Amino acid sequence: MYATQYSLHPFLFVVSEGVEKMDDLRYLFNPASIAVVGVSQNPSKIGSIIYQRLVKNKSLGILKAEVYPVNPKISSLNGVKVYPSISEIKDNIDLVVIAIPAEAVPEILREAGEKKVKVAIIISGGFAESGRVDLDEILRKTIHDTGIHVVGPNTIGILDPYSGVDTFFLPRFKPMSDGRMAESLPDVTPGNVAVISQSGALSEIIMDCLKVSGIGIRAIVCVGNQVDLSIENFLKYFSIDPLTKVIAIYIEGVKDGRRFLNALIDASTKKPIIILKAGKTEIAGRAAYTHTASMVGRIEVYRGAFKQAGVIEVEDMEEMIDVVKAFSMMNPARGRKLFILTNAGGLAVISSDLATRYGLIVPNMPEEIREQLEELKNRRLIEQIVVIQNPLDLTAQGTSETFEEVYRIVASSKFFDLYLLMPSHQPPTVDDTVINRLFRVSKEYDCSAVVCEYGESEWSRHIRDKFDQLGIPSYPDVRRALRVLSALTAYRKPKNKRYEYPRETNKIKWLDYLEDGPLDYEDAVKLLNHYGLEAPKTLKIINEEELHNVNEKLSFPLVMKIFSRRITHKTDIGGVIIGLKTCSELTDAFRMLKKRVSEIGLEWEGVIIQEMVRGVELLLGSSYDLTFGPTVTFGIGGVFTEVLRDFSVRVAPVDPTDALEMINELKMKKILEGFRDLPSINLEKLAEKISEFSKITWENPSIRQLEINPLIALGDRFIAVDVRGLLSRTQHQP
């Protein structure tokens, strides 16, 4: 039995996984005995399909486990004894597969617990996913009481082609309208790709599509409702599994983001992880008191977490299949310098245009390589009209031998990191010996190479199939090939760090005495100062008489802003006046803003007057995500923040190295490096400020939203011109 720890923090339910849970997972994939509860005389029933699959695998010698059918209503099935209950089976049982109505599942689990069963797969649906929260709670309690580890419920379970454990109950063949039987679900091929999925259908599609390219499956796990065993458990299992080379994950959402992030980091330090996250347009219901809270949706937080974990995110199923296929065949690439070799000029142009879109570099051909390739012209292996450059177009006169000789010279130099090979088959000078020729060079020099062969003719499919069989991934479209090459360069082992759970009480104790709601400006500045962040000289003025000695405390030019806890975007209502140079202008501005507040029907709370600071306007924000907890956002600030949407998100806190990555992700990063009359910014210093800021909401949980916009950057100085914050001690409030 494993220990369960409940955190006091509102968004956390933390399960502390002992060694026993990981040990028990082996009984899912390599059980000595299996009981199937729910077999029937009706062969189309789910329990019967699963039982027959297991029996077939045993007859083929794949499954080594004994298989016991269980149903109290029948005594035999096809001449085999059917047991009325698990307890009637004399032998020990490692794995129980349950495919019966949901109401009866807890009782079967209790019986399995008395039998000392290690693990169970609950195929049955009808729990929380269908509104039966009461039944779900009974199931959870039964799991806790028995100590059995459970996959599901509401799942198609597990498919392991190595051990023969297969609970996928979908038919392999189905009748068509003309009476013919056609393959519906292909027979699985053993391989090195482990699939963890929140969707049974998508896991089967992945298996189907990979098989076309000759890629096999290590195992597929469909986690279902995850009442016990979850994605995190299987991530850990496959990360140390010697048969697994790459892990593919499909998720729709997770409950405990930090547990998930830590599991991703642990696994990604060992093996590449390819992830497809669905639900990209979902936006958390949050009180949008700051730009950050209104602008950053759930998918941005997930993507930040994926980057922190070194995970490769893909956009759709096509990209998932393409990238998984490549990682199954190849190792990650060492860099982004790409060499393009083809005999079709159009493809050379298209591929070089697209390469930069995917973050690849197409450098000029080094002189020493160019000289060697020019020698091939003297030997008449390259036509005289060929221009030696990158991309290199051999023209329609290029032969299969030419491809090999050119590729060998370029690959032997080790100058390039990646190779895009496009030997178009249409010219008469190219035959299918080009396949083995290019393969020999790739193998000899351990090249990170992919092939693009356009077309659906028999020749096109033949070339792609042969390259795939030799372990060089091939694609029918240059965009897909370049996207894969980019992914091969994107994998990096993350720093082996843990994202700890936020504090449960405020580190800064004076925050405990503040009321829930908007954070007063003075308190917000005090908070920033505590974390080493600077604010400009500021006065808060309520009455016009207080303006008389402003010039003695502040230096012109000045900025005046409406002070209000209810106005989020002051500039939208003309609530900010800049460039005030005299006391007279101050008075006029004060009266104008007071009139504006009256016109919109708000209570007068005064104005803020600050010394003007000029520089690059940035945004630094933090908000509380219901899945991952405190997050940090950095981007381009000012009045166009929500229009430009140039920002980067991470789970907080971040260290300066992570913060520097956030800076480098901005599309408008050149502005920070010195643009026209703007001075360059000390990016290392900026990263330190981002890191310090990211600790605030993590160390002080009552702060749910905090934002500096703009943060004025000027060389080594970073000044918080405007800051807003929201305090809330209400649990589960975003």
Side-chain angles (χ1 to χ4, degrees), residues 7-14 256-259 261-262 498-507 622-631 651-653 694-704:
S7 171
L8 298 176
H9 201 275
F11 84 102
L12 301 178
F13 164 60
V14 184
D256 184 341
R258 289 184 183 245
R259 179 181 179 228
L261 174 55
N262 288 331
R498 308 293 296 175
Y499 284 85
E500 303 294 339
Y501 295 101
R503 288 174 60 98
E504 296 175 3
T505 58
N506 291 326
K507 181 178 181 179
S622 181
S623 59
Y624 186 93
D625 183 80
L626 290 178
T627 301
F628 290 92
T631 64
V651 176
S694 74
K695 298 174 185 176
I696 297 177
T697 52
W698 181 68
E699 293 183 344
N700 303 282
S702 67
I703 302 175
R704 292 302 171 119

Short mmCIF file of all heavy atoms in Angstrom, two decimals, residues 7-14 256-259 261-262 498-507 622-631 651-653 694-704:
data_model
loop_
_atom_site.label_atom_id
_atom_site.label_comp_id
_atom_site.label_asym_id
_atom_site.label_seq_id
_atom_site.Cartn_x
_atom_site.Cartn_y
_atom_site.Cartn_z
N SER A 7 -2.24 17.84 0.43
CA SER A 7 -1.66 19.15 0.69
C SER A 7 -2.75 20.12 1.09
O SER A 7 -3.90 20.01 0.64
CB SER A 7 -0.96 19.67 -0.57
OG SER A 7 -0.59 21.00 -0.41
N LEU A 8 -2.42 21.08 1.93
CA LEU A 8 -3.35 22.11 2.31
C LEU A 8 -3.53 23.14 1.21
O LEU A 8 -4.46 23.94 1.23
CB LEU A 8 -2.85 22.82 3.58
CG LEU A 8 -2.75 21.92 4.82
CD1 LEU A 8 -2.16 22.73 5.98
CD2 LEU A 8 -4.10 21.36 5.21
N HIS A 9 -2.62 23.16 0.26
CA HIS A 9 -2.72 24.15 -0.80
C HIS A 9 -3.94 23.87 -1.66
O HIS A 9 -4.23 22.72 -1.99
CB HIS A 9 -1.45 24.14 -1.65
CG HIS A 9 -1.27 25.42 -2.39
ND1 HIS A 9 -1.86 25.65 -3.60
CD2 HIS A 9 -0.58 26.55 -2.06
CE1 HIS A 9 -1.54 26.86 -4.01
NE2 HIS A 9 -0.77 27.42 -3.10
N PRO A 10 -4.71 24.89 -2.07
CA PRO A 10 -6.02 24.66 -2.68
C PRO A 10 -6.02 23.87 -3.96
O PRO A 10 -6.97 23.18 -4.25
CB PRO A 10 -6.54 26.09 -2.92
CG PRO A 10 -5.35 26.98 -2.85
CD PRO A 10 -4.44 26.31 -1.86
N PHE A 11 -4.96 23.97 -4.78
CA PHE A 11 -5.07 23.30 -6.08
C PHE A 11 -4.38 21.95 -6.11
O PHE A 11 -4.28 21.31 -7.14
CB PHE A 11 -4.53 24.20 -7.21
CG PHE A 11 -3.04 24.16 -7.41
CD1 PHE A 11 -2.51 23.43 -8.45
CD2 PHE A 11 -2.19 24.85 -6.58
CE1 PHE A 11 -1.14 23.40 -8.67
CE2 PHE A 11 -0.83 24.82 -6.78
CZ PHE A 11 -0.31 24.10 -7.83
N LEU A 12 -3.95 21.45 -4.95
CA LEU A 12 -3.13 20.26 -4.96
C LEU A 12 -3.79 19.06 -4.29
O LEU A 12 -4.41 19.17 -3.25
CB LEU A 12 -1.80 20.53 -4.24
CG LEU A 12 -0.95 21.65 -4.82
CD1 LEU A 12 0.28 21.82 -3.97
CD2 LEU A 12 -0.56 21.32 -6.23
N PHE A 13 -3.67 17.94 -4.94
CA PHE A 13 -3.86 16.65 -4.29
C PHE A 13 -2.66 15.83 -4.69
O PHE A 13 -2.51 15.42 -5.83
CB PHE A 13 -5.15 15.97 -4.76
CG PHE A 13 -5.20 14.50 -4.42
CD1 PHE A 13 -5.14 14.08 -3.11
CD2 PHE A 13 -5.28 13.55 -5.42
CE1 PHE A 13 -5.17 12.73 -2.80
CE2 PHE A 13 -5.32 12.20 -5.12
CZ PHE A 13 -5.26 11.80 -3.80
N VAL A 14 -1.76 15.64 -3.79
CA VAL A 14 -0.46 15.04 -4.11
C VAL A 14 -0.44 13.59 -3.68
O VAL A 14 -0.72 13.28 -2.52
CB VAL A 14 0.68 15.80 -3.41
CG1 VAL A 14 2.01 15.22 -3.83
CG2 VAL A 14 0.61 17.27 -3.74
N ASP A 256 -3.08 17.93 -11.59
CA ASP A 256 -1.99 18.46 -10.77
C ASP A 256 -0.82 18.79 -11.68
O ASP A 256 -0.02 17.93 -12.04
CB ASP A 256 -1.59 17.42 -9.71
CG ASP A 256 -0.53 17.91 -8.75
OD1 ASP A 256 0.16 18.89 -9.08
OD2 ASP A 256 -0.39 17.33 -7.67
N GLY A 257 -0.75 20.06 -12.09
CA GLY A 257 0.22 20.46 -13.09
C GLY A 257 1.66 20.27 -12.66
O GLY A 257 2.50 19.88 -13.47
N ARG A 258 1.97 20.55 -11.40
CA ARG A 258 3.37 20.45 -10.97
C ARG A 258 3.81 19.00 -10.86
O ARG A 258 4.96 18.68 -11.17
CB ARG A 258 3.57 21.21 -9.66
CG ARG A 258 3.47 22.70 -9.91
CD ARG A 258 3.75 23.56 -8.71
NE ARG A 258 3.55 24.94 -9.10
CZ ARG A 258 4.50 25.87 -9.15
NH1 ARG A 258 5.73 25.58 -8.77
NH2 ARG A 258 4.23 27.10 -9.54
N ARG A 259 2.94 18.14 -10.44
CA ARG A 259 3.28 16.72 -10.42
C ARG A 259 3.55 16.24 -11.86
O ARG A 259 4.51 15.51 -12.12
CB ARG A 259 2.13 15.92 -9.80
CG ARG A 259 2.40 14.41 -9.76
CD ARG A 259 1.21 13.69 -9.17
NE ARG A 259 1.43 12.26 -9.15
CZ ARG A 259 0.56 11.36 -9.57
NH1 ARG A 259 -0.61 11.74 -10.06
NH2 ARG A 259 0.82 10.08 -9.52
N LEU A 261 4.47 18.17 -14.44
CA LEU A 261 5.69 18.80 -14.91
C LEU A 261 6.92 18.08 -14.38
O LEU A 261 7.87 17.80 -15.13
CB LEU A 261 5.71 20.27 -14.49
CG LEU A 261 6.98 21.07 -14.77
CD1 LEU A 261 7.39 21.00 -16.23
CD2 LEU A 261 6.80 22.52 -14.33
N ASN A 262 6.93 17.75 -13.11
CA ASN A 262 8.08 17.05 -12.53
C ASN A 262 8.26 15.66 -13.15
O ASN A 262 9.39 15.22 -13.38
CB ASN A 262 7.91 16.93 -11.02
CG ASN A 262 8.11 18.27 -10.31
OD1 ASN A 262 8.85 19.12 -10.79
ND2 ASN A 262 7.44 18.47 -9.20
N ARG A 498 13.31 20.30 -9.61
CA ARG A 498 11.94 20.04 -9.21
C ARG A 498 11.19 21.36 -9.10
O ARG A 498 11.74 22.36 -8.61
CB ARG A 498 11.89 19.34 -7.84
CG ARG A 498 12.75 18.12 -7.73
CD ARG A 498 12.26 17.00 -8.61
NE ARG A 498 10.95 16.52 -8.21
CZ ARG A 498 10.26 15.59 -8.89
NH1 ARG A 498 10.78 15.07 -10.00
NH2 ARG A 498 9.08 15.19 -8.48
N TYR A 499 9.96 21.37 -9.56
CA TYR A 499 9.11 22.54 -9.36
C TYR A 499 8.27 22.30 -8.12
O TYR A 499 7.26 21.58 -8.15
CB TYR A 499 8.27 22.80 -10.62
CG TYR A 499 9.12 23.41 -11.70
CD1 TYR A 499 9.88 22.62 -12.55
CD2 TYR A 499 9.24 24.79 -11.80
CE1 TYR A 499 10.72 23.18 -13.50
CE2 TYR A 499 10.08 25.36 -12.75
CZ TYR A 499 10.81 24.56 -13.59
OH TYR A 499 11.64 25.12 -14.51
N GLU A 500 8.77 22.86 -7.03
CA GLU A 500 8.14 22.62 -5.74
C GLU A 500 6.77 23.28 -5.69
O GLU A 500 6.46 24.21 -6.44
CB GLU A 500 9.02 23.18 -4.61
CG GLU A 500 10.44 22.60 -4.60
CD GLU A 500 10.46 21.11 -4.29
OE1 GLU A 500 9.47 20.62 -3.71
OE2 GLU A 500 11.46 20.44 -4.62
N TYR A 501 5.96 22.79 -4.76
CA TYR A 501 4.64 23.36 -4.59
C TYR A 501 4.72 24.69 -3.86
O TYR A 501 5.62 24.90 -3.03
CB TYR A 501 3.73 22.38 -3.85
CG TYR A 501 3.50 21.15 -4.68
CD1 TYR A 501 4.20 19.96 -4.42
CD2 TYR A 501 2.64 21.17 -5.75
CE1 TYR A 501 4.02 18.84 -5.20
CE2 TYR A 501 2.44 20.06 -6.55
CZ TYR A 501 3.13 18.90 -6.27
OH TYR A 501 2.95 17.80 -7.06
N PRO A 502 3.84 25.63 -4.16
CA PRO A 502 3.91 26.96 -3.54
C PRO A 502 3.78 26.91 -2.03
O PRO A 502 3.24 25.95 -1.46
CB PRO A 502 2.71 27.70 -4.17
CG PRO A 502 2.38 26.93 -5.39
CD PRO A 502 2.73 25.51 -5.11
N ARG A 503 4.26 27.95 -1.42
CA ARG A 503 4.08 28.08 0.02
C ARG A 503 2.59 28.10 0.35
O ARG A 503 1.75 28.51 -0.46
CB ARG A 503 4.72 29.39 0.52
CG ARG A 503 6.24 29.37 0.52
CD ARG A 503 6.75 30.75 0.90
NE ARG A 503 6.29 31.15 2.22
CZ ARG A 503 6.99 31.04 3.35
NH1 ARG A 503 8.21 30.53 3.30
NH2 ARG A 503 6.51 31.45 4.50
N GLU A 504 2.26 27.67 1.56
CA GLU A 504 0.86 27.67 1.99
C GLU A 504 0.50 28.94 2.76
O GLU A 504 -0.67 29.25 2.94
CB GLU A 504 0.58 26.43 2.83
CG GLU A 504 0.74 25.15 2.02
CD GLU A 504 0.59 23.89 2.85
OE1 GLU A 504 0.31 24.02 4.06
OE2 GLU A 504 0.76 22.80 2.30
N THR A 505 1.51 29.67 3.21
CA THR A 505 1.28 30.95 3.88
C THR A 505 2.23 31.98 3.29
O THR A 505 3.27 31.64 2.71
CB THR A 505 1.53 30.84 5.40
OG1 THR A 505 2.88 30.41 5.61
CG2 THR A 505 0.57 29.85 6.03
N ASN A 506 1.88 33.23 3.45
CA ASN A 506 2.70 34.30 2.89
C ASN A 506 4.06 34.38 3.56
O ASN A 506 4.16 34.32 4.79
CB ASN A 506 2.00 35.65 3.05
CG ASN A 506 0.77 35.76 2.18
OD1 ASN A 506 0.74 35.23 1.08
ND2 ASN A 506 -0.25 36.44 2.66
N LYS A 507 5.10 34.51 2.74
CA LYS A 507 6.43 34.75 3.29
C LYS A 507 6.52 36.16 3.88
O LYS A 507 7.13 36.38 4.92
CB LYS A 507 7.49 34.57 2.20
CG LYS A 507 8.90 34.77 2.68
CD LYS A 507 9.92 34.52 1.56
CE LYS A 507 11.34 34.69 2.06
NZ LYS A 507 12.33 34.43 0.99
N SER A 622 2.30 37.96 -13.30
CA SER A 622 2.14 36.65 -12.67
C SER A 622 0.67 36.44 -12.37
O SER A 622 -0.01 37.36 -11.93
CB SER A 622 2.95 36.57 -11.38
OG SER A 622 2.82 35.29 -10.79
N SER A 623 0.19 35.27 -12.66
CA SER A 623 -1.19 34.93 -12.31
C SER A 623 -1.24 33.48 -11.85
O SER A 623 -0.30 32.71 -12.06
CB SER A 623 -2.14 35.16 -13.49
OG SER A 623 -1.75 34.39 -14.60
N TYR A 624 -2.36 33.13 -11.24
CA TYR A 624 -2.50 31.82 -10.61
C TYR A 624 -3.30 30.90 -11.52
O TYR A 624 -4.47 31.14 -11.79
CB TYR A 624 -3.20 32.01 -9.27
CG TYR A 624 -3.29 30.76 -8.43
CD1 TYR A 624 -2.32 30.48 -7.48
CD2 TYR A 624 -4.35 29.87 -8.58
CE1 TYR A 624 -2.41 29.35 -6.71
CE2 TYR A 624 -4.44 28.74 -7.81
CZ TYR A 624 -3.47 28.48 -6.88
OH TYR A 624 -3.55 27.35 -6.11
N ASP A 625 -2.66 29.87 -12.01
CA ASP A 625 -3.32 28.89 -12.87
C ASP A 625 -3.85 27.75 -12.02
O ASP A 625 -3.16 27.24 -11.13
CB ASP A 625 -2.32 28.36 -13.91
CG ASP A 625 -2.95 27.39 -14.87
OD1 ASP A 625 -3.60 27.85 -15.82
OD2 ASP A 625 -2.81 26.17 -14.67
N LEU A 626 -5.08 27.34 -12.29
CA LEU A 626 -5.72 26.30 -11.47
C LEU A 626 -5.02 24.96 -11.58
O LEU A 626 -5.16 24.11 -10.69
CB LEU A 626 -7.19 26.16 -11.85
CG LEU A 626 -8.09 27.33 -11.46
CD1 LEU A 626 -9.51 27.09 -11.94
CD2 LEU A 626 -8.08 27.56 -9.96
N THR A 627 -4.29 24.73 -12.66
CA THR A 627 -3.59 23.45 -12.84
C THR A 627 -2.15 23.51 -12.33
O THR A 627 -1.69 22.60 -11.64
CB THR A 627 -3.60 23.05 -14.32
OG1 THR A 627 -4.95 22.93 -14.76
CG2 THR A 627 -2.88 21.73 -14.53
N PHE A 628 -1.43 24.57 -12.69
CA PHE A 628 0.00 24.65 -12.38
C PHE A 628 0.32 25.60 -11.23
O PHE A 628 1.47 25.68 -10.81
CB PHE A 628 0.77 25.10 -13.62
CG PHE A 628 0.81 24.06 -14.71
CD1 PHE A 628 -0.14 24.03 -15.72
CD2 PHE A 628 1.81 23.09 -14.73
CE1 PHE A 628 -0.10 23.06 -16.72
CE2 PHE A 628 1.86 22.13 -15.73
CZ PHE A 628 0.90 22.11 -16.71
N GLY A 629 -0.67 26.33 -10.73
CA GLY A 629 -0.39 27.28 -9.67
C GLY A 629 0.23 28.54 -10.21
O GLY A 629 -0.06 28.97 -11.33
N PRO A 630 1.14 29.19 -9.45
CA PRO A 630 1.73 30.46 -9.88
C PRO A 630 2.51 30.33 -11.19
O PRO A 630 3.26 29.38 -11.38
CB PRO A 630 2.66 30.83 -8.73
CG PRO A 630 2.12 30.09 -7.55
CD PRO A 630 1.57 28.82 -8.08
N THR A 631 2.29 31.29 -12.07
CA THR A 631 3.01 31.34 -13.34
C THR A 631 3.64 32.72 -13.49
O THR A 631 3.27 33.67 -12.79
CB THR A 631 2.07 31.10 -14.53
OG1 THR A 631 1.10 32.17 -14.58
CG2 THR A 631 1.35 29.77 -14.40
N VAL A 651 6.00 28.17 -15.70
CA VAL A 651 5.55 27.86 -14.35
C VAL A 651 6.57 28.48 -13.39
O VAL A 651 7.78 28.34 -13.57
CB VAL A 651 5.46 26.34 -14.14
CG1 VAL A 651 5.08 26.01 -12.69
CG2 VAL A 651 4.43 25.75 -15.10
N ALA A 652 6.07 29.18 -12.38
CA ALA A 652 6.95 29.89 -11.44
C ALA A 652 7.34 28.99 -10.26
O ALA A 652 6.58 28.09 -9.88
CB ALA A 652 6.24 31.14 -10.92
N PRO A 653 8.54 29.25 -9.70
CA PRO A 653 9.49 30.29 -10.06
C PRO A 653 10.45 29.81 -11.14
O PRO A 653 10.56 28.61 -11.39
CB PRO A 653 10.23 30.54 -8.75
CG PRO A 653 10.25 29.19 -8.09
CD PRO A 653 8.93 28.55 -8.44
N SER A 694 9.40 36.32 -10.30
CA SER A 694 8.66 35.06 -10.37
C SER A 694 8.47 34.40 -9.02
O SER A 694 7.63 33.52 -8.86
CB SER A 694 9.37 34.09 -11.33
OG SER A 694 10.55 33.55 -10.74
N LYS A 695 9.25 34.82 -8.04
CA LYS A 695 9.14 34.23 -6.70
C LYS A 695 7.98 34.82 -5.90
O LYS A 695 7.55 34.22 -4.91
CB LYS A 695 10.44 34.45 -5.92
CG LYS A 695 11.67 33.81 -6.52
CD LYS A 695 12.92 34.20 -5.75
CE LYS A 695 14.18 33.67 -6.40
NZ LYS A 695 15.41 34.13 -5.70
N ILE A 696 7.48 35.99 -6.31
CA ILE A 696 6.54 36.73 -5.46
C ILE A 696 5.26 35.96 -5.21
O ILE A 696 4.87 35.72 -4.06
CB ILE A 696 6.24 38.12 -6.07
CG1 ILE A 696 7.52 38.95 -6.14
CG2 ILE A 696 5.18 38.84 -5.23
CD1 ILE A 696 7.34 40.31 -6.81
N THR A 697 4.55 35.56 -6.27
CA THR A 697 3.29 34.86 -6.06
C THR A 697 3.51 33.43 -5.58
O THR A 697 2.63 32.85 -4.94
CB THR A 697 2.45 34.84 -7.36
OG1 THR A 697 3.25 34.33 -8.42
CG2 THR A 697 1.97 36.23 -7.70
N TRP A 698 4.68 32.87 -5.88
CA TRP A 698 4.99 31.52 -5.42
C TRP A 698 5.23 31.52 -3.91
O TRP A 698 4.84 30.58 -3.21
CB TRP A 698 6.22 31.01 -6.17
CG TRP A 698 6.65 29.63 -5.81
CD1 TRP A 698 5.98 28.47 -6.07
CD2 TRP A 698 7.86 29.25 -5.15
NE1 TRP A 698 6.70 27.40 -5.62
CE2 TRP A 698 7.86 27.85 -5.04
CE3 TRP A 698 8.94 29.97 -4.65
CZ2 TRP A 698 8.90 27.15 -4.45
CZ3 TRP A 698 9.98 29.27 -4.06
CH2 TRP A 698 9.95 27.88 -3.96
N GLU A 699 5.85 32.55 -3.41
CA GLU A 699 6.14 32.63 -1.97
C GLU A 699 5.03 33.29 -1.17
O GLU A 699 5.03 33.19 0.07
CB GLU A 699 7.44 33.42 -1.76
CG GLU A 699 8.67 32.72 -2.29
CD GLU A 699 9.96 33.46 -2.02
OE1 GLU A 699 9.89 34.66 -1.69
OE2 GLU A 699 11.04 32.83 -2.13
N ASN A 700 4.08 33.93 -1.86
CA ASN A 700 3.00 34.65 -1.17
C ASN A 700 1.66 34.28 -1.82
O ASN A 700 1.18 34.99 -2.72
CB ASN A 700 3.24 36.15 -1.25
CG ASN A 700 4.58 36.54 -0.66
OD1 ASN A 700 4.75 36.60 0.55
ND2 ASN A 700 5.56 36.79 -1.52
N PRO A 701 1.05 33.15 -1.42
CA PRO A 701 -0.11 32.62 -2.13
C PRO A 701 -1.35 33.49 -2.10
O PRO A 701 -2.26 33.27 -2.89
CB PRO A 701 -0.36 31.28 -1.42
CG PRO A 701 0.29 31.42 -0.09
CD PRO A 701 1.47 32.29 -0.30
N SER A 702 -1.43 34.47 -1.22
CA SER A 702 -2.61 35.32 -1.21
C SER A 702 -2.61 36.30 -2.39
O SER A 702 -3.64 36.88 -2.72
CB SER A 702 -2.71 36.10 0.10
OG SER A 702 -1.67 37.03 0.22
N ILE A 703 -1.45 36.46 -3.05
CA ILE A 703 -1.39 37.30 -4.25
C ILE A 703 -1.74 36.45 -5.46
O ILE A 703 -0.98 35.58 -5.87
CB ILE A 703 0.00 37.93 -4.43
CG1 ILE A 703 0.37 38.76 -3.20
CG2 ILE A 703 0.03 38.80 -5.68
CD1 ILE A 703 1.77 39.31 -3.24
N ARG A 704 -2.92 36.69 -6.02
CA ARG A 704 -3.39 35.86 -7.14
C ARG A 704 -3.01 36.44 -8.49
O ARG A 704 -2.90 35.70 -9.47
CB ARG A 704 -4.91 35.67 -7.05
CG ARG A 704 -5.34 34.83 -5.85
CD ARG A 704 -4.67 33.47 -5.95
NE ARG A 704 -4.85 32.68 -4.75
CZ ARG A 704 -5.47 31.51 -4.70
NH1 ARG A 704 -5.95 30.99 -5.80
NH2 ARG A 704 -5.57 30.84 -3.58
#
